[in-house]
Amino acid sequence: MKTEITDFKGNKRIKITGDIDMHTSPELREVLLSIIKKSKNQCVCVDFTDVTYIDSSGIATFVEGLKAIRASGSRLFFYGLPESIMEIFRFSRLDRVFEIFRTFEDAFGI
Amino acid sequence: MKTEITDFKGNKRIKITGDIDMHTSPELREVLLSIIKKSKNQCVCVDFTDVTYIDSSGIATFVEGLKAIRASGSRLFFYGLPESIMEIFRFSRLDRVFEIFRTFEDAFGI
Amino acid sequence: MKDSVKIIIPSHPKYLSVVRNVTSKIGEIYGIDETIVNDLKLAIDEACTNIIRHAYKGDTTKRIIIRYTVNPGQYTVVLEDNGIKADKNKLKGRDLNDIKPGGLGIHFIKRVFDIFMLDEKKKKGNRLILVKYLK
Amino acid sequence: MKDSVKIIIPSHPKYLSVVRNVTSKIGEIYGIDETIVNDLKLAIDEACTNIIRHAYKGDTTKRIIIRYTVNPGQYTVVLEDNGIKADKNKLKGRDLNDIKPGGLGIHFIKRVFDIFMLDEKKKKGNRLILVKYLK
Ligand SMILES: Nc1ncnc2c1ncn2[C@@H]1O[C@H](COP(=O)(O)OP(=O)(O)O)[C@@H](O)[C@H]1O
Ligand SMILES: Nc1ncnc2c1ncn2[C@@H]1O[C@H](COP(=O)(O)OP(=O)(O)O)[C@@H](O)[C@H]1O
């Protein structure tokens, strides 16, 4: 797994590439929570386009991120989820807990 | 592994896709030898572009094909070899035994 | 041996990707539908994750044995460890409506496997038997 | 167990792709150069092919055990079978200038591995120890 962070009009975009599993999720957790900690009334959006795999430890990381971000007044967006990953969120009944968009443009209404 | 045979101006083109190993080379052998048996003063060219792996049983199959084709007056051409596969032919000193071209066009001088 | 493939890995998360790859390849060899293979990959991964986390309490120097057996109509995976015996009563996922980190692994395993059975006969450690019926 | 991964497959060529995948993944985990990983894949594949062909005479119902151990500077693979003992004097590839089918496997193994050793201590079958020194 690799993460790449870019700024977008005062918001943060995290692009994740590769497998998110028990081995890589601690690194993701560190990246995600440190960005959330620094954010204030911002959007943190996660680009799932090149995520090839996610397991329960990856999902737990995002649930933790969501709880943390709610305290900061910022918002957590997901976009670009491959269908197989969307299916896992749906099965876990988390598709309505997270704000999931089809594309980056959809997320920002541009 | 998958093979696909097409005609080209009275010549035969065999496109191979995937891994050639001890498991798949018997099928390749059957395809190759049956084409060679039917050919006469023709070119049989093998497209390696999408070959992802070759082991000694694959190479043995082509050496067998070469011996068979020499008896028929036809010629055996290879083209599109990925560098990793070219390296194996080089190491085996078979790069000068087989007629290897970069592209299909090179093989036919077109 | 029949048609079994066995893989033994250290209980370190870095080897989970090896297991996922073996699951994929076995699916390919037996012509199992890709969607099902993806579900099997996740389920077997979660079973290994649980062993590392719960049976071995995070100790990454132990070992996990995974055996795949595919017969017509039946895909079986047996996972073995030498860790702390699982408490059968705790072996269940969280309520899916109670949103919190964790508690999804068992759900992911049971989603695809038809049988989820802890072999009581094993003396030390755990032996988890997972069976999926194939059409 | 240390940092070993062990895989046990039936002696059927259809499982060779599983072994190649495991070799690739282990290479990735330890950050081994891709070109070297490709050479290791081929070499280990050839060692398995030889077991099926020579030690088991084509019997696809036996088993092959492959153990990978990666330590700093050293990549070791041990292959075991229960087949016919290899004749050490025949364990060599053909003259590379004598063009004919076959006889390349041992060359491909020795091309990448620094040590190629048949363990004489094994009672039944063969144990081939392959070591590559890593920089
Ligand atoms: N291999 C195991 N050994 C012991 N207990 C286990 C094992 N797997 C699961 N459990 C128990 O089942 C519970 C639910 O597991 P799971 O759904 O994977 O969620 P999580 O591991 O995130 O808690 C765990 O919290 C644990 O108590
Ligand atoms: N695992 C083995 N058991 C017994 N003999 C072997 C084994 N591997 C190789 N050999 C012997 O070494 C020879 C050379 O092997 P190799 O270079 O792989 O070529 P090939 O297998 O195509 O003959 C074989 O012909 C065989 O006599």
Side-chain angles (χ1 to χ4, degrees), chain C residues 42-69:
Chain C
L42 178 59
I44 297 165
D45 186 279
E46 296 289 347
C48 293
T49 299
N50 277 342
I51 290 172
I52 300 173
R53 221 191 290 273
H54 305 295
Y56 290 136
K57 300 276 173 221
D59 183 341
T60 59
T61 66
K62 303 294 176 183
R63 60 189 207 165
I64 304 174
I65 305 177
I66 304 140
R67 196 177 67 234
Y68 300 79
T69 312

Side-chain angles (χ1 to χ4, degrees), chain C:
Chain C
M1 185 72 186
K2 293 173 306 173
D3 263 5
S4 287
V5 170
K6 194 178 194 171
I7 175 159
I8 304 165
I9 56 160
S11 57
H12 190 293
K14 73 180 167 189
Y15 296 104
L16 293 175
S17 65
V18 180
V19 177
R20 290 201 296 275
N21 256 265
V22 170
T23 307
S24 286
K25 265 291 156 198
I26 288 176
E28 235 175 71
I29 289 172
Y30 288 97
I32 300 171
D33 192 87
E34 207 188 310
T35 329
I36 296 175
V37 173
N38 282 336
D39 294 351
L40 292 169
K41 253 167 81 172
L42 178 59
I44 297 165
D45 186 279
E46 296 289 347
C48 293
T49 299
N50 277 342
I51 290 172
I52 300 173
R53 221 191 290 273
H54 305 295
Y56 290 136
K57 300 276 173 221
D59 183 341
T60 59
T61 66
K62 303 294 176 183
R63 60 189 207 165
I64 304 174
I65 305 177
I66 304 140
R67 196 177 67 234
Y68 300 79
T69 312
V70 188
N71 289 314
Q74 185 168 321
Y75 179 105
T76 307
V77 182
V78 178
L79 293 110
E80 294 190 59
D81 65 65
N82 284 304
I84 302 164
K85 268 203 178 299
D87 177 350
K88 260 197 135 177
N89 301 315
K90 284 198 193 155
L91 260 186
K92 49 169 141 309
R94 66 162 163 81
D95 176 350
L96 285 176
N97 292 315
D98 174 22
I99 309 301
K100 62 181 180 189
L104 291 173
I106 305 269
H107 285 297
F108 289 154
I109 299 171
K110 291 191 173 167
R111 182 172 69 133
V112 59
F113 282 106
D114 299 298
I115 295 180
F116 176 106
M117 195 181 79
L118 212 55
D119 185 355
E120 311 277 355
K121 293 194 301 281
K122 185 159 164 84
K123 291 222 179 63
K124 203 181 149 351
N126 302 287
R127 181 186 293 123
L128 180 64
I129 302 171
L130 303 173
V131 180
K132 167 151 187 75
Y133 299 118
L134 302 169
K135 271 172 228 108

Side-chain angles (χ1 to χ4, degrees), chain A residues 3 11 15 18 39 48 57 84 110:
Chain A
T3 56
N11 302 303
K15 180 173 174 55
S39 79
F48 274 80
S57 69
S84 58
I110 51 177

Side-chain angles (χ1 to χ4, degrees), chain D residues 37-48:
Chain D
V37 173
N38 281 337
D39 293 351
L40 293 169
K41 255 168 80 174
L42 178 59
I44 297 165
D45 187 280
E46 296 289 348
C48 292

Side-chain angles (χ1 to χ4, degrees), chain B residues 13-29:
Chain B
R13 171 151 56 167
I14 309 175
K15 179 173 174 54
I16 306 172
T17 305
D19 287 8
I20 309 175
D21 68 358
M22 190 193 183
H23 182 47
T24 57
S25 58
E27 186 193 329
L28 172 64
R29 182 175 181 276

Side-chain angles (χ1 to χ4, degrees), chain B residues 56, chain D residues 47 50-51 53-55 81 84-87 90-94 102-107 126:
Chain B
S56 70
Chain D
N50 277 341
I51 290 172
R53 220 191 290 271
H54 305 295
D81 64 65
I84 303 164
K85 270 204 177 297
D87 176 349
K90 285 198 193 159
L91 261 185
K92 49 169 139 316
R94 66 163 163 81
L104 292 173
I106 304 270
H107 285 297
N126 302 287

